[in-house]
């Protein structure tokens, strides 16, 4: 191993050094400062005679007297089943005062997208306990379903709720010892210390930490480390899923902070910027992360992703949500207007979408009437939303009796179905039961998207009659 004292330039998080041998891209580097401190870095660019190194801990304390050592290998994550219940920093080192991690393997963090030929189509339901997701935009094992939010919205509370409540229902019901277990891997990037404390208190209070691995990259940690964190998370997820047969749910928050780190490093490298200053390769970079979700034929485990991103200016045409939407299979919208009304969680189901939902619901998965109930509630809520605009112009008195029922349905849908609180866990039976309570506010002949057989079985005449009495009063 050669040691160089040939640093020529320091620019932001980057260090440039002269070398007299071929250095591999992504190779890990140790830099020893004149004060004896050892910092870790990674080769970002390698050309004849010069390499650019991004330093994970920041370049403070590095000068031309520092020594540079190239370790001859790419960055690896030490993986073991014993990681469950542990809290690590953004580069995979324990920060929970627990014992040292004794790895079973050390795996390359870059990883590879799953071979399309080997992929198994996602079609099994994951229950989050959140009605607006389970009932209207169902999450499926192996799916990547982002949450689109904006600054000041309670997306962190929603992330914590999903992390502690998510489960695989049929696995819980079976007593088969060989059935796959469920694990959550939580990757936080660029969050504040206050948010980190809230996350950890919630994990410890609810006992969710026992089946979780938590990676914490704080806002005052170097931006370079932020680019490594999701790869550490996904490497751990792939190990647990495809080698230990876990069903793994990966929650990544906040992807906007990750993309800002890419932009910061791109500016330090003096790259030609793309749209709004972000690197032109950001689409490729995000795809390398998102496409590591899925199922593999012949393997029992799965990796499911819920990336959370805050849209700058609540603009879903911004490059980060825009590119994310191209790669992922739908999105869940956290709505500022619903949040201002006090709904918890404030999920707007109308622009939200789960493209794989239809294959993950129905008989043998959730319940045979799920798809029809979802379609009818979407239609009725959309009708109620349109009528709200009309009421502002003509008033409720000018509307028909059926139109007034649609308005009442929209109000009840938000207050009873969407608004459940961040501490309530609803199973799919309860979610669909609430759905039928709401649909029973409408006359039978208005339920034109539901099979007659389901109407006969689940429609509640007393609810419809109750609404008539309440309207008369």
């Amino acid at each position: 191993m050669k040691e160089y004292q040939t640093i020529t330039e320091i620019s932001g998080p980057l260090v440039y050094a002269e070398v007299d041998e071929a250095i591999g891209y992504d190779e890990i580097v140790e830099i020893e400062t004149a004060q004896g401190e050892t910092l870790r870095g990674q080769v970002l660019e390698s050309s004849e005679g010069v390499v650019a190194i991004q330093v994970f801990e920041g370049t403070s304390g590095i000068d031309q007297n520092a020594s540079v050592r190239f370790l001859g290998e790419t960055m690896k994550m030490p993986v073991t089943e014993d990681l469950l219940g542990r809290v690590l920093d953004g580069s995979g080192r324990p920060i929970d005062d627990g014992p040292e991690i004794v790895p079973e393997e050390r795996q390359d963090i870059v990883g590879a997208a799953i071979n399309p030929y080997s992929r198994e189509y996602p079609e099994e339901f994951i229950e989050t306990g959140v009605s607006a997701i389970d009932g209207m935009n169902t999450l499926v094992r192996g799916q990547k379903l982002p949450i689109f939010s904006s600054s000041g919205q309670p997306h962190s509370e929603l992330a914590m709720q999903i992390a502690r409540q998510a489960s695989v229902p049929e696995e819980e019901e079976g007593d088969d010892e060989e059935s796959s277990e469920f694990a959550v891997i939580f990757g936080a990037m660029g969050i504040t210390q206050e948010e980190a404390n809230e996350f950890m208190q919630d994990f410890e209070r609810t006992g969710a930490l026992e089946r979780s691995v938590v990676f914490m990259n704080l806002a005052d940690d170097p931006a370079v480390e932020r680019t490594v964190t999701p790869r550490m998370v996904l490497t751990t997820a792939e190990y647990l899923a495809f080698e230990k047969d876990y069903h793994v749910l990966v929650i990544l928050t906040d992807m906007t902070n990750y993309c800002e780190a890419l932009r910061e490093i791109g500016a330090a490298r003096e790259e030609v910027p793309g749209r709004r200053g972000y690197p032109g390769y950001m689409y490729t970079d995000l795809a390398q992360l998102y496409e590591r979700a899925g199922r593999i034929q012949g393997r029992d485990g799965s990796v499911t992703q819920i990336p959370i991103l805050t849209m700058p200016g609540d603009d879903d045409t911004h490059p980060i949500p825009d590119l994310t939407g191209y790669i992922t299979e739908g999105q869940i919208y956290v709505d500022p207007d619903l949040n201002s009304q006090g709904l918890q969680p404030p999920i707007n189901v109308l622009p939200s979408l789960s493209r794989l939902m239809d294959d993950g619901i129905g008989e043998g998965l959730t319940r045979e009437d799920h798809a029809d109930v979802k379609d009818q509630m979407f239609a009725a809520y959309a009708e109620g939303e349109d009528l709200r605009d009309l009421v502002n112009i003509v008033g409720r008195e000018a509307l028909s009796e059926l139109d007034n029922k649609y308005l009442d349905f929209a109000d009840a849908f938000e207050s009873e179905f969407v608004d459940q609180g961040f501490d309530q866990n609803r199973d799919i039976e309860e979610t669909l039961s609430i759905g039928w309570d709401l649909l029973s506010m409408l006359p039978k002949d208005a339920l034109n998207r539901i099979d007659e057989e389901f109407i006969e079985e689940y429609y509640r005449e007393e609810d419809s009659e109750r609404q008539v009495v309440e309207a008369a009063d």
Side-chain angles (χ1 to χ4, degrees), residues 6 18 51 89 141 232 244 302 326 335:
T6 54
E18 294 179 350
V51 293
D89 69 7
R141 262 185 261 169
M232 292 280 185
K244 297 297 180 181
S302 61
Y326 278 117
D335 189 85

Side-chain angles (χ1 to χ4, degrees), residues 207-254:
L209 187 59
E210 293 177 13
R211 60 163 189 173
S212 307
V213 187
V214 179
F215 289 78
M216 285 284 184
N217 169 268
L218 302 180
D220 59 349
D221 289 333
V224 174
E225 185 181 89
R226 218 155 290 152
T227 64
V228 173
T229 303
R231 291 173 170 82
M232 292 280 185
V233 168
L234 290 165
T235 302
T236 306
E238 288 165 347
Y239 173 78
L240 291 175
F242 304 133
E243 297 189 31
K244 297 297 180 181
D245 295 335
Y246 280 78
H247 291 304
V248 182
L249 176 63
V250 173
I251 300 176
L252 296 169
T253 182
D254 182 339

Side-chain angles (χ1 to χ4, degrees), residues 68-101:
V68 180
R69 290 189 294 272
F70 298 93
L71 304 188
E73 64 175 16
T74 55
M75 194 163 191
K76 291 180 166 50
M77 174 69 197
V79 287
T80 168
E81 213 168 345
D82 294 336
L83 283 170
L84 290 168
R86 300 300 302 273
V87 182
L88 315 172
D89 69 7
S91 54
R93 291 172 296 197
I95 54 172
D96 56 1
D97 299 324
E100 279 296 312
I101 294 169

Side-chain angles (χ1 to χ4, degrees), residues 143-161:
Q143 185 176 5
K144 38 198 181 289
L145 185 64
I147 293 175
F148 287 3
S149 183
S150 57
S151 296
Q153 306 308 308
H155 47 267
S156 296
E157 287 83 350
L158 178 58
M160 287 188 283
Q161 183 175 17

Side-chain angles (χ1 to χ4, degrees), residues 7 15 40 57-58 74 76 79 82 85 111 165 169 217 223 229 254 278 315 326-327 352 363 373 377 390 435 445 451:
I7 293 176
V15 169
R40 293 190 307 162
E57 293 90 346
T74 55
K76 291 180 166 50
V79 287
D82 294 336
Q165 292 180 179
N217 169 268
T229 303
D254 182 339
Y278 291 94
D315 175 17
Y326 278 117
I327 303 164
S352 299
E363 191 170 2
V373 169
M377 285 202 293
L390 186 59
D445 56 7
D451 193 289

Side-chain angles (χ1 to χ4, degrees), residues 23-27 29 41-46 51-54 70:
I23 302 296
Y25 177 72
D26 271 353
E27 191 170 320
V29 180
Q42 189 174 24
V43 174
L44 193 63
E45 195 173 307
S46 181
V51 293
I53 303 162
Q54 54 181 1
F70 298 93

